[in-house]
Amino acid sequence: MKTKLTNAKCLTSSNELVSCEILIEDDKIVKTAPKVTEQADKTIDADNNLVVPGFIDVHIHLREPGGEYKETIATGTQSAARGGYTTVCNMPNTNPVPDSKDTLEKLLQKIKEDAVVRVLPYASITKGLKGEERTNIKELFEQGAFAFTDDGVGIQTANQMFQAMKEAAACGAAIVAHCEDNSLVYGGVTHDGEVSKRLNLPGIPSLSESVQIARDVLLAEAADCHYHVCHVSTKESVRVIRDAKRAGIKVTGEVSPHHLLLNETDVLENDADFKMNPPLRGKDDQEALIEGLLDGTLDFIATDHAPHGEEEKANGFLEAPFGIVGLETAFPLLYTHLVQKNVLSLHELIDRMTKKPADVFGLPYGTMEEGAPADLTILDLDKTAKIDRYQFASKGKNTPFHGWEVNGFPVMTIVNGEVVFKEDSHA
Ligand SMILES: [Zn+2]
């Protein structure tokens, strides 16, 4: 089966949009050229829009099994497809946790049945995310776990992390860390800064994150392990990662759209759609994250898509769970607020949503080179709309960006040569 994508624009590394056509054979890209002359069984007209490699998000929460009222593998991957994502990596804080051969097998099976985009599942570092007994990293990795993390909680003791890193390094797996030292959290619900004081909410100090990263980079050096830091939020964390990279330590880091675009001063009183972990930090932290993304200290962007029920989120800042959704808003928000404001070039943004995460984890995606899997996203950069949470495919409506007017939307998403999302108005 041959499919030809015609009438498209490709982005050059110097940020020029040039005419291109792409020939797909079954699930692979076989040719990208200004004009493809070969005949195909099917033609997709890109309508003069930009075609880029499908986005990759290594940090999302699909909630299934156990949290199906928040999200399912079906709804979460439909949300990913609408956001232009073709590969997503699912966090293991579900019930049960994928921490054994059996639970991972069931999850892989359910993904095969229900997912509309590629899902690579994490397995946990410790059984039940309890921080006590470690999982069998080698066995789970061979079975298909993408990498290992206890996301949602930090690994509290240095020895636990050190042993996990040595086991991961021995089989070539990565340790992916939500960094949070519980002894420095003090029951906080938002950043420990001027806004937490004004709103009289308990604050989460920046140190609770950065201290654990500082510990872990030294452990990663000793274990010779690829150590990846989730959702970096503080300027001190950026500095520690930058220094560690300079020292040759195998550390990588991600940053979320909300930490790039918002800071503590944006937090609206008692609106738990601004409650996430790590929290929105200070303005100087936000600036350090942008600088870190630009200079490569932070390798790429990941959404930390974390759907919750509306009732849970209506419980007020103290009681509501942490987290916001992100898959369907990431590209338009970042395009509008970073690219159109000349903070980042379009090529840099696409690179940090495609090639960079693929390179960091050795994935064959995030490229339109000949022979690559046919994962493509078509973007209408001229489309303007208000973010409307009630239009999301995700069950989660918990976003602080509802009502924001943004530009640039995915209009078609193709995974392995198959169209998995097509905007209604797009012929
Ligand atoms: Zn996390």
Side-chain angles (χ1 to χ4, degrees), residues 228-288:
H228 177 76
V229 189
C230 293
H231 42 53
V232 174
S233 75
T234 81
K235 57 183 188 295
E236 294 83 4
S237 305
V238 174
R239 191 179 71 214
V240 168
I241 295 168
R242 185 178 286 128
D243 288 349
K245 281 192 165 180
R246 277 190 194 135
I249 297 168
K250 287 192 275 184
V251 55
T252 53
E254 72 192 30
V255 61
S256 76
H258 48 279
H259 289 112
L260 290 169
L261 301 180
L262 302 173
N263 62 61
E264 61 172 344
T265 65
D266 296 299
V267 174
L268 295 180
E269 193 165 358
N270 233 12
D271 183 347
D273 285 338
F274 290 86
K275 181 178 178 181
M276 68 288 283
N277 188 12
L280 300 173
R281 300 284 185 187
K283 195 162 189 333
D284 47 353
D285 295 298
Q286 184 191 5
E287 283 162 5

Short mmCIF file of all heavy atoms in Angstrom, two decimals, residues 228-288:
data_model
loop_
_atom_site.label_atom_id
_atom_site.label_comp_id
_atom_site.label_asym_id
_atom_site.label_seq_id
_atom_site.Cartn_x
_atom_site.Cartn_y
_atom_site.Cartn_z
N HIS A 228 17.50 10.49 33.64
CA HIS A 228 16.68 11.54 33.03
C HIS A 228 15.79 12.19 34.09
O HIS A 228 15.10 11.49 34.84
CB HIS A 228 15.81 10.95 31.92
CG HIS A 228 14.90 11.96 31.31
ND1 HIS A 228 15.34 12.93 30.43
CD2 HIS A 228 13.56 12.19 31.48
CE1 HIS A 228 14.31 13.70 30.07
NE2 HIS A 228 13.23 13.27 30.70
N VAL A 229 15.82 13.52 34.13
CA VAL A 229 15.05 14.24 35.14
C VAL A 229 13.72 14.72 34.56
O VAL A 229 13.69 15.44 33.55
CB VAL A 229 15.83 15.46 35.67
CG1 VAL A 229 15.10 16.07 36.88
CG2 VAL A 229 17.25 15.09 36.05
N CYS A 230 12.62 14.33 35.20
CA CYS A 230 11.28 14.75 34.78
C CYS A 230 11.06 16.22 35.13
O CYS A 230 11.63 16.75 36.09
CB CYS A 230 10.23 13.95 35.55
SG CYS A 230 10.17 12.22 35.16
N HIS A 231 10.15 16.84 34.40
CA HIS A 231 9.59 18.17 34.71
C HIS A 231 10.45 19.05 35.61
O HIS A 231 10.06 19.41 36.73
CB HIS A 231 8.18 18.04 35.29
CG HIS A 231 7.97 16.93 36.30
ND1 HIS A 231 8.76 16.77 37.42
CD2 HIS A 231 7.06 15.94 36.33
CE1 HIS A 231 8.31 15.72 38.09
NE2 HIS A 231 7.30 15.20 37.45
N VAL A 232 11.59 19.47 35.08
CA VAL A 232 12.50 20.35 35.83
C VAL A 232 11.79 21.70 36.03
O VAL A 232 11.21 22.26 35.09
CB VAL A 232 13.82 20.55 35.04
CG1 VAL A 232 14.71 21.58 35.74
CG2 VAL A 232 14.53 19.21 34.88
N SER A 233 11.84 22.21 37.26
CA SER A 233 11.06 23.44 37.53
C SER A 233 11.83 24.58 38.19
O SER A 233 11.32 25.68 38.29
CB SER A 233 9.83 23.10 38.39
OG SER A 233 10.21 22.87 39.73
N THR A 234 13.04 24.31 38.68
CA THR A 234 13.74 25.39 39.42
C THR A 234 15.05 25.79 38.75
O THR A 234 15.68 25.00 38.06
CB THR A 234 14.05 24.98 40.87
OG1 THR A 234 15.25 24.18 40.89
CG2 THR A 234 12.91 24.20 41.52
N LYS A 235 15.46 27.02 39.02
CA LYS A 235 16.72 27.50 38.44
C LYS A 235 17.92 26.73 39.01
O LYS A 235 18.89 26.48 38.31
CB LYS A 235 16.88 29.01 38.65
CG LYS A 235 16.83 29.50 40.08
CD LYS A 235 16.91 31.03 40.11
CE LYS A 235 17.06 31.61 41.51
NZ LYS A 235 15.90 31.37 42.39
N GLU A 236 17.81 26.32 40.27
CA GLU A 236 18.92 25.54 40.85
C GLU A 236 19.04 24.18 40.17
O GLU A 236 20.16 23.69 39.95
CB GLU A 236 18.70 25.36 42.36
CG GLU A 236 18.75 26.64 43.18
CD GLU A 236 17.41 27.40 43.19
OE1 GLU A 236 16.41 26.91 42.62
OE2 GLU A 236 17.37 28.51 43.77
N SER A 237 17.89 23.58 39.83
CA SER A 237 17.93 22.29 39.13
C SER A 237 18.61 22.44 37.78
O SER A 237 19.41 21.59 37.39
CB SER A 237 16.50 21.76 38.92
OG SER A 237 15.80 21.68 40.13
N VAL A 238 18.27 23.52 37.08
CA VAL A 238 18.89 23.77 35.77
C VAL A 238 20.41 23.88 35.94
O VAL A 238 21.18 23.29 35.18
CB VAL A 238 18.32 25.05 35.12
CG1 VAL A 238 19.06 25.38 33.82
CG2 VAL A 238 16.82 24.90 34.85
N ARG A 239 20.84 24.59 36.96
CA ARG A 239 22.29 24.78 37.19
C ARG A 239 22.98 23.44 37.48
O ARG A 239 24.04 23.14 36.93
CB ARG A 239 22.50 25.76 38.34
CG ARG A 239 23.93 26.22 38.49
CD ARG A 239 24.06 27.20 39.64
NE ARG A 239 23.90 26.53 40.93
CZ ARG A 239 23.33 27.07 42.01
NH1 ARG A 239 22.84 28.29 41.97
NH2 ARG A 239 23.25 26.40 43.13
N VAL A 240 22.34 22.63 38.32
CA VAL A 240 22.94 21.33 38.67
C VAL A 240 23.07 20.45 37.42
O VAL A 240 24.09 19.81 37.19
CB VAL A 240 22.09 20.63 39.76
CG1 VAL A 240 22.53 19.18 39.93
CG2 VAL A 240 22.20 21.38 41.09
N ILE A 241 22.01 20.43 36.60
CA ILE A 241 22.04 19.60 35.39
C ILE A 241 23.09 20.12 34.40
O ILE A 241 23.85 19.34 33.81
CB ILE A 241 20.63 19.53 34.74
CG1 ILE A 241 19.66 18.81 35.67
CG2 ILE A 241 20.69 18.83 33.38
CD1 ILE A 241 18.19 18.93 35.27
N ARG A 242 23.15 21.44 34.28
CA ARG A 242 24.15 22.03 33.37
C ARG A 242 25.57 21.64 33.80
O ARG A 242 26.39 21.21 32.98
CB ARG A 242 23.99 23.55 33.34
CG ARG A 242 24.89 24.26 32.34
CD ARG A 242 24.64 25.77 32.34
NE ARG A 242 23.39 26.12 31.69
CZ ARG A 242 22.44 26.88 32.24
NH1 ARG A 242 22.59 27.40 33.45
NH2 ARG A 242 21.34 27.16 31.56
N ASP A 243 25.84 21.78 35.09
CA ASP A 243 27.18 21.43 35.60
C ASP A 243 27.47 19.95 35.41
O ASP A 243 28.58 19.56 35.06
CB ASP A 243 27.29 21.79 37.09
CG ASP A 243 27.35 23.30 37.33
OD1 ASP A 243 27.51 24.04 36.33
OD2 ASP A 243 27.21 23.73 38.48
N ALA A 244 26.45 19.12 35.66
CA ALA A 244 26.64 17.66 35.53
C ALA A 244 26.93 17.29 34.08
O ALA A 244 27.78 16.44 33.80
CB ALA A 244 25.41 16.93 36.04
N LYS A 245 26.22 17.93 33.15
CA LYS A 245 26.48 17.65 31.73
C LYS A 245 27.92 18.03 31.37
O LYS A 245 28.59 17.30 30.65
CB LYS A 245 25.49 18.42 30.84
CG LYS A 245 24.13 17.76 30.77
CD LYS A 245 23.26 18.38 29.68
CE LYS A 245 22.07 17.45 29.41
NZ LYS A 245 21.17 17.93 28.38
N ARG A 246 28.34 19.18 31.87
CA ARG A 246 29.71 19.61 31.59
C ARG A 246 30.73 18.62 32.13
O ARG A 246 31.81 18.45 31.57
CB ARG A 246 29.97 20.99 32.23
CG ARG A 246 29.47 22.11 31.35
CD ARG A 246 29.92 23.47 31.85
NE ARG A 246 29.15 24.51 31.17
CZ ARG A 246 28.60 25.57 31.76
NH1 ARG A 246 28.77 25.78 33.06
NH2 ARG A 246 27.91 26.44 31.05
N ALA A 247 30.38 17.98 33.22
CA ALA A 247 31.29 17.00 33.83
C ALA A 247 31.22 15.65 33.12
O ALA A 247 31.90 14.70 33.51
CB ALA A 247 30.96 16.83 35.31
N GLY A 248 30.38 15.56 32.08
CA GLY A 248 30.32 14.33 31.30
C GLY A 248 29.37 13.28 31.85
O GLY A 248 29.37 12.13 31.41
N ILE A 249 28.55 13.66 32.83
CA ILE A 249 27.59 12.71 33.40
C ILE A 249 26.43 12.53 32.43
O ILE A 249 25.98 13.49 31.79
CB ILE A 249 27.12 13.23 34.78
CG1 ILE A 249 28.32 13.29 35.75
CG2 ILE A 249 26.01 12.35 35.36
CD1 ILE A 249 28.04 14.04 37.04
N LYS A 250 25.92 11.29 32.35
CA LYS A 250 24.84 10.99 31.38
C LYS A 250 23.49 11.41 31.95
O LYS A 250 22.65 10.58 32.30
CB LYS A 250 24.82 9.49 31.07
CG LYS A 250 26.00 9.06 30.18
CD LYS A 250 25.79 7.66 29.65
CE LYS A 250 26.27 6.61 30.64
NZ LYS A 250 26.19 5.24 30.16
N VAL A 251 23.30 12.72 32.06
CA VAL A 251 22.04 13.24 32.58
C VAL A 251 21.31 14.00 31.47
O VAL A 251 21.94 14.70 30.67
CB VAL A 251 22.27 14.13 33.82
CG1 VAL A 251 23.24 15.27 33.53
CG2 VAL A 251 20.95 14.70 34.35
N THR A 252 19.99 13.82 31.41
CA THR A 252 19.15 14.58 30.48
C THR A 252 17.97 15.13 31.27
O THR A 252 17.70 14.68 32.40
CB THR A 252 18.65 13.69 29.32
OG1 THR A 252 18.01 12.52 29.86
CG2 THR A 252 19.80 13.26 28.42
N GLY A 253 17.29 16.11 30.69
CA GLY A 253 16.17 16.72 31.42
C GLY A 253 15.07 17.17 30.50
O GLY A 253 15.30 17.46 29.32
N GLU A 254 13.86 17.20 31.05
CA GLU A 254 12.70 17.67 30.28
C GLU A 254 12.08 18.86 31.00
O GLU A 254 12.27 19.05 32.21
CB GLU A 254 11.66 16.55 30.14
CG GLU A 254 10.93 16.28 31.45
CD GLU A 254 10.10 15.01 31.49
OE1 GLU A 254 10.43 14.04 30.81
OE2 GLU A 254 9.12 15.01 32.27
N VAL A 255 11.31 19.64 30.26
CA VAL A 255 10.59 20.76 30.85
C VAL A 255 9.18 20.76 30.26
O VAL A 255 8.98 20.36 29.12
CB VAL A 255 11.34 22.09 30.61
CG1 VAL A 255 11.50 22.41 29.12
CG2 VAL A 255 10.67 23.27 31.33
N SER A 256 8.21 21.18 31.06
CA SER A 256 6.81 21.14 30.61
C SER A 256 6.40 22.48 30.01
O SER A 256 6.96 23.52 30.36
CB SER A 256 5.90 20.81 31.79
OG SER A 256 5.78 21.96 32.60
N PRO A 257 5.40 22.46 29.12
CA PRO A 257 4.90 23.73 28.58
C PRO A 257 4.45 24.70 29.68
O PRO A 257 4.72 25.90 29.60
CB PRO A 257 3.72 23.30 27.71
CG PRO A 257 4.04 21.89 27.31
CD PRO A 257 4.74 21.30 28.49
N HIS A 258 3.79 24.18 30.73
CA HIS A 258 3.28 25.11 31.75
C HIS A 258 4.39 25.77 32.55
O HIS A 258 4.28 26.92 32.94
CB HIS A 258 2.23 24.46 32.66
CG HIS A 258 2.58 23.12 33.21
ND1 HIS A 258 2.44 21.95 32.50
CD2 HIS A 258 3.07 22.74 34.43
CE1 HIS A 258 2.81 20.92 33.26
NE2 HIS A 258 3.20 21.37 34.42
N HIS A 259 5.50 25.05 32.77
CA HIS A 259 6.61 25.70 33.47
C HIS A 259 7.34 26.70 32.59
O HIS A 259 7.98 27.63 33.09
CB HIS A 259 7.58 24.65 34.02
CG HIS A 259 7.03 23.88 35.17
ND1 HIS A 259 6.72 22.53 35.09
CD2 HIS A 259 6.68 24.26 36.42
CE1 HIS A 259 6.22 22.13 36.25
NE2 HIS A 259 6.19 23.15 37.08
N LEU A 260 7.26 26.51 31.28
CA LEU A 260 7.87 27.48 30.36
C LEU A 260 7.01 28.73 30.21
O LEU A 260 7.53 29.82 29.97
CB LEU A 260 8.06 26.85 28.97
CG LEU A 260 9.13 25.76 28.85
CD1 LEU A 260 9.01 25.06 27.50
CD2 LEU A 260 10.53 26.34 29.03
N LEU A 261 5.69 28.58 30.33
CA LEU A 261 4.78 29.68 29.98
C LEU A 261 4.17 30.40 31.17
O LEU A 261 3.63 31.49 31.03
CB LEU A 261 3.65 29.16 29.08
CG LEU A 261 4.10 28.52 27.76
CD1 LEU A 261 2.91 28.04 26.97
CD2 LEU A 261 4.92 29.50 26.93
N LEU A 262 4.20 29.78 32.34
CA LEU A 262 3.56 30.37 33.52
C LEU A 262 4.56 30.44 34.67
O LEU A 262 5.54 29.70 34.70
CB LEU A 262 2.36 29.53 33.96
CG LEU A 262 1.22 29.29 32.96
CD1 LEU A 262 0.23 28.28 33.54
CD2 LEU A 262 0.51 30.59 32.62
N ASN A 263 4.26 31.31 35.63
CA ASN A 263 5.01 31.31 36.89
C ASN A 263 4.04 31.53 38.04
O ASN A 263 2.83 31.66 37.82
CB ASN A 263 6.15 32.33 36.86
CG ASN A 263 5.64 33.74 36.70
OD1 ASN A 263 4.89 34.24 37.54
ND2 ASN A 263 6.02 34.39 35.60
N GLU A 264 4.56 31.58 39.25
CA GLU A 264 3.68 31.63 40.43
C GLU A 264 2.71 32.81 40.41
O GLU A 264 1.62 32.73 40.97
CB GLU A 264 4.51 31.67 41.72
CG GLU A 264 5.41 32.91 41.80
CD GLU A 264 6.12 33.07 43.14
OE1 GLU A 264 5.70 32.44 44.12
OE2 GLU A 264 7.09 33.85 43.18
N THR A 265 3.10 33.89 39.74
CA THR A 265 2.21 35.07 39.75
C THR A 265 0.95 34.83 38.91
O THR A 265 0.00 35.59 39.00
CB THR A 265 2.93 36.33 39.21
OG1 THR A 265 3.26 36.12 37.84
CG2 THR A 265 4.20 36.62 39.99
N ASP A 266 0.95 33.78 38.09
CA ASP A 266 -0.24 33.46 37.30
C ASP A 266 -1.27 32.65 38.08
O ASP A 266 -2.40 32.48 37.62
CB ASP A 266 0.16 32.65 36.04
CG ASP A 266 1.04 33.48 35.11
OD1 ASP A 266 0.56 34.52 34.65
OD2 ASP A 266 2.19 33.09 34.87
N VAL A 267 -0.86 32.13 39.24
CA VAL A 267 -1.76 31.25 40.00
C VAL A 267 -2.98 32.03 40.46
O VAL A 267 -2.86 33.09 41.08
CB VAL A 267 -1.02 30.65 41.22
CG1 VAL A 267 -1.99 29.86 42.09
CG2 VAL A 267 0.11 29.74 40.75
N LEU A 268 -4.15 31.52 40.11
CA LEU A 268 -5.39 32.17 40.54
C LEU A 268 -5.84 31.54 41.85
O LEU A 268 -5.81 30.33 42.02
CB LEU A 268 -6.48 32.01 39.48
CG LEU A 268 -6.22 32.70 38.14
CD1 LEU A 268 -7.39 32.46 37.19
CD2 LEU A 268 -6.00 34.20 38.33
N GLU A 269 -6.26 32.40 42.72
CA GLU A 269 -6.66 31.98 44.06
C GLU A 269 -7.71 30.87 44.01
O GLU A 269 -8.72 30.99 43.34
CB GLU A 269 -7.21 33.19 44.81
CG GLU A 269 -7.35 32.92 46.29
CD GLU A 269 -7.55 34.22 47.07
OE1 GLU A 269 -7.54 35.30 46.46
OE2 GLU A 269 -7.70 34.13 48.28
N ASN A 270 -7.42 29.84 44.73
CA ASN A 270 -8.33 28.71 44.88
C ASN A 270 -8.78 28.08 43.56
O ASN A 270 -9.85 27.49 43.49
CB ASN A 270 -9.54 29.10 45.73
CG ASN A 270 -9.69 28.09 46.86
OD1 ASN A 270 -8.79 27.29 47.10
ND2 ASN A 270 -10.82 28.11 47.52
N ASP A 271 -7.98 28.23 42.51
CA ASP A 271 -8.27 27.53 41.27
C ASP A 271 -7.24 26.41 41.12
O ASP A 271 -6.09 26.64 40.77
CB ASP A 271 -8.19 28.50 40.08
CG ASP A 271 -8.55 27.81 38.77
OD1 ASP A 271 -8.62 26.55 38.75
OD2 ASP A 271 -8.74 28.52 37.77
N ALA A 272 -7.69 25.18 41.39
CA ALA A 272 -6.76 24.05 41.43
C ALA A 272 -6.30 23.62 40.04
O ALA A 272 -5.48 22.71 39.92
CB ALA A 272 -7.39 22.87 42.16
N ASP A 273 -6.78 24.28 38.99
CA ASP A 273 -6.20 24.04 37.67
C ASP A 273 -4.82 24.67 37.56
O ASP A 273 -4.14 24.51 36.53
CB ASP A 273 -7.12 24.55 36.56
CG ASP A 273 -8.32 23.62 36.36
OD1 ASP A 273 -8.21 22.44 36.75
OD2 ASP A 273 -9.35 24.07 35.85
N PHE A 274 -4.40 25.37 38.61
CA PHE A 274 -3.02 25.87 38.69
C PHE A 274 -2.21 25.07 39.70
O PHE A 274 -1.12 25.48 40.08
CB PHE A 274 -3.02 27.36 39.07
CG PHE A 274 -3.54 28.26 37.98
CD1 PHE A 274 -4.90 28.52 37.86
CD2 PHE A 274 -2.66 28.84 37.06
CE1 PHE A 274 -5.38 29.34 36.84
CE2 PHE A 274 -3.14 29.65 36.05
CZ PHE A 274 -4.50 29.91 35.93
N LYS A 275 -2.76 23.95 40.13
CA LYS A 275 -2.05 23.12 41.11
C LYS A 275 -1.43 21.92 40.41
O LYS A 275 -2.15 21.07 39.86
CB LYS A 275 -3.02 22.64 42.19
CG LYS A 275 -2.33 21.78 43.26
CD LYS A 275 -3.29 21.35 44.35
CE LYS A 275 -2.59 20.45 45.37
NZ LYS A 275 -3.50 19.99 46.43
N MET A 276 -0.12 21.89 40.38
CA MET A 276 0.58 20.75 39.79
C MET A 276 1.88 20.55 40.55
O MET A 276 2.31 21.41 41.32
CB MET A 276 0.82 20.96 38.30
CG MET A 276 1.79 22.05 37.90
SD MET A 276 1.19 23.71 38.13
CE MET A 276 0.09 23.95 36.75
N ASN A 277 2.49 19.37 40.34
CA ASN A 277 3.71 19.04 41.06
C ASN A 277 4.76 18.59 40.05
O ASN A 277 4.54 17.61 39.37
CB ASN A 277 3.42 17.91 42.06
CG ASN A 277 4.60 17.65 42.97
OD1 ASN A 277 5.54 18.45 43.02
ND2 ASN A 277 4.56 16.55 43.68
N PRO A 278 5.90 19.29 39.93
CA PRO A 278 6.26 20.48 40.70
C PRO A 278 5.38 21.68 40.36
O PRO A 278 4.79 21.73 39.27
CB PRO A 278 7.72 20.73 40.29
CG PRO A 278 7.87 20.07 38.97
CD PRO A 278 6.97 18.89 39.00
N PRO A 279 5.32 22.64 41.29
CA PRO A 279 4.42 23.79 41.11
C PRO A 279 5.01 24.82 40.14
O PRO A 279 6.18 24.75 39.78
CB PRO A 279 4.35 24.37 42.52
CG PRO A 279 5.67 24.04 43.13
CD PRO A 279 6.05 22.69 42.57
N LEU A 280 4.16 25.77 39.75
CA LEU A 280 4.65 26.92 38.98
C LEU A 280 5.56 27.71 39.91
O LEU A 280 5.16 28.08 41.01
CB LEU A 280 3.47 27.79 38.52
CG LEU A 280 2.47 27.07 37.62
CD1 LEU A 280 1.25 27.96 37.36
CD2 LEU A 280 3.11 26.63 36.31
N ARG A 281 6.80 27.92 39.48
CA ARG A 281 7.81 28.54 40.36
C ARG A 281 7.89 30.05 40.12
O ARG A 281 6.98 30.65 39.55
CB ARG A 281 9.17 27.88 40.07
CG ARG A 281 9.21 26.37 40.32
CD ARG A 281 9.27 26.04 41.78
NE ARG A 281 9.43 24.61 42.03
CZ ARG A 281 9.37 24.07 43.24
NH1 ARG A 281 9.16 24.80 44.31
NH2 ARG A 281 9.52 22.76 43.40
N GLY A 282 8.99 30.64 40.53
CA GLY A 282 9.15 32.09 40.40
C GLY A 282 9.47 32.50 38.97
O GLY A 282 9.77 31.66 38.12
N LYS A 283 9.40 33.81 38.72
CA LYS A 283 9.68 34.31 37.39
C LYS A 283 11.13 34.01 36.99
O LYS A 283 11.43 33.70 35.83
CB LYS A 283 9.42 35.83 37.36
CG LYS A 283 9.32 36.37 35.96
CD LYS A 283 8.65 37.72 35.91
CE LYS A 283 8.34 38.20 34.52
NZ LYS A 283 9.18 37.73 33.44
N ASP A 284 12.06 34.09 37.96
CA ASP A 284 13.47 33.80 37.65
C ASP A 284 13.67 32.32 37.32
O ASP A 284 14.52 31.97 36.50
CB ASP A 284 14.40 34.26 38.78
CG ASP A 284 13.92 33.83 40.16
OD1 ASP A 284 12.80 33.29 40.28
OD2 ASP A 284 14.68 34.02 41.13
N ASP A 285 12.86 31.47 37.93
CA ASP A 285 12.92 30.04 37.58
C ASP A 285 12.44 29.84 36.14
O ASP A 285 13.08 29.13 35.36
CB ASP A 285 12.05 29.22 38.52
CG ASP A 285 12.56 29.24 39.96
OD1 ASP A 285 13.68 28.77 40.18
OD2 ASP A 285 11.84 29.75 40.83
N GLN A 286 11.32 30.47 35.82
CA GLN A 286 10.76 30.36 34.46
C GLN A 286 11.80 30.80 33.43
O GLN A 286 12.01 30.13 32.41
CB GLN A 286 9.50 31.23 34.36
CG GLN A 286 8.79 31.14 33.03
CD GLN A 286 7.70 32.22 32.89
OE1 GLN A 286 7.55 33.10 33.75
NE2 GLN A 286 6.95 32.13 31.82
N GLU A 287 12.48 31.90 33.71
CA GLU A 287 13.51 32.39 32.78
C GLU A 287 14.67 31.40 32.66
O GLU A 287 15.19 31.17 31.56
CB GLU A 287 14.03 33.76 33.25
CG GLU A 287 13.03 34.87 32.93
CD GLU A 287 13.26 36.15 33.72
OE1 GLU A 287 14.26 36.24 34.48
OE2 GLU A 287 12.43 37.07 33.58
N ALA A 288 15.04 30.80 33.77
CA ALA A 288 16.14 29.81 33.74
C ALA A 288 15.75 28.57 32.95
O ALA A 288 16.60 27.96 32.28
CB ALA A 288 16.53 29.42 35.17
#
